[in-house]
Amino acid sequence: MSLFVGESLVGEGNEIAHIDLMIGSKTGPVGAAFANALSTQSAGHTNLLAVLEPNLAVKPSTVMITKVTIKGMKQAVQMFGPAQFAVAKAVADQVAAGVIPADQAEDLVVVCGVFIHPAAEDNAKIYQYNYEATKDAIASAMQGKPSAQEMVAKKDTAAHPFKGFEA
C-alpha cells in the first residue's frame, strides 16, 4: 500500500490556488477515495477527471474534487477549463520529469482538491497558479515533504497567511 500526501498554496488575490492531494495505489485507500469521488456527485461538488484535452486523460488517473461549492456557471467553467488543464498538465509534467515514476502511472491514482474562489476573474492566473501548486504538491507528496523534522523546526515561526488574527 502507498499513500502520499501533498499540499501547496501558490498565487495571490482571488485566483490563488490551494491544492491538497493524495497519491496512492488503485487497490489501497486512495483508490477507494478515487472511486468514491468519481461516483459520488452532489450539487456544487461535481468531481471530474483531469484531462489534457477531451479524450486524453492523464496517468496516473486523477480526479479533481472541489474544495468550495461551485455556485454558478462562471465558476464551473473555471473548474472545467483552466483549473482542469492546469492539474492535468502538472501531473503529465511530473510523470515526464520522473517525479511520479512512469512505470507506476497505471497502478497509481491521484485525488486532488482544488479551490476556485467565487470572485476569481483571470483564467490565465487560475491556470498558472493551479499548475504550479499541483506540481509543488506532487513533488512534496512523492518526496515526503515536509519531513517531521522540518515541520518541528518551523512550528514556532510559521506564518499562516490566512490565520485571521495578529499573534
Side-chain angles (χ1 to χ4, degrees):
M1 179 188 84
S2 60
L3 195 163
F4 305 101
V5 177
E7 175 275 336
S8 181
L9 178 76
V10 172
E12 60 187 11
N14 292 333
E15 289 78 16
I16 196 165
H18 186 231
I19 298 291
D20 295 315
L21 59 77
M22 299 183 294
I23 302 171
S25 169
K26 288 179 179 176
T27 60
V30 182
F34 179 93
N36 187 52
L38 205 53
S39 62
T40 307
Q41 307 283 333
S42 63
H45 294 271
T46 307
N47 304 323
L48 61 152
L49 290 174
V51 299
L52 291 166
E53 64 182 31
N55 307 315
L56 186 58
V58 295
K59 301 292 179 166
S61 295
T62 300
V63 65
M64 299 167 55
I65 58 174
T66 60
K67 295 169 64 175
V68 296
T69 302
I70 302 294
K71 295 182 178 172
M73 283 309 296
K74 182 180 114 193
Q75 197 179 15
V77 169
Q78 290 169 332
M79 182 72 167
F80 282 76
Q84 184 184 37
F85 182 54
V87 170
K89 185 74 165 72
V91 170
D93 283 349
Q94 292 296 53
V95 171
V99 175
I100 298 173
D103 65 348
Q104 297 178 28
E106 284 295 334
D107 299 324
L108 297 172
V109 289
V110 179
V111 177
C112 181
V114 177
F115 171 80
I116 301 289
H117 193 289
E121 293 287 338
D122 189 327
N123 288 341
K125 286 182 179 177
I126 291 170
Y127 168 80
Q128 190 61 42
Y129 295 162
N130 278 283
Y131 172 77
E132 292 173 21
T134 304
K135 276 187 71 177
D136 291 349
I138 290 169
S140 293
M142 298 308 290
Q143 296 165 3
K145 299 276 184 179
S147 68
Q149 293 81 12
E150 290 170 326
M151 180 273 302
V152 169
K154 293 183 179 179
K155 70 178 182 58
D156 295 323
T157 58
H160 193 293
F162 304 113
K163 69 183 175 191
F165 64 91
E166 293 297 321

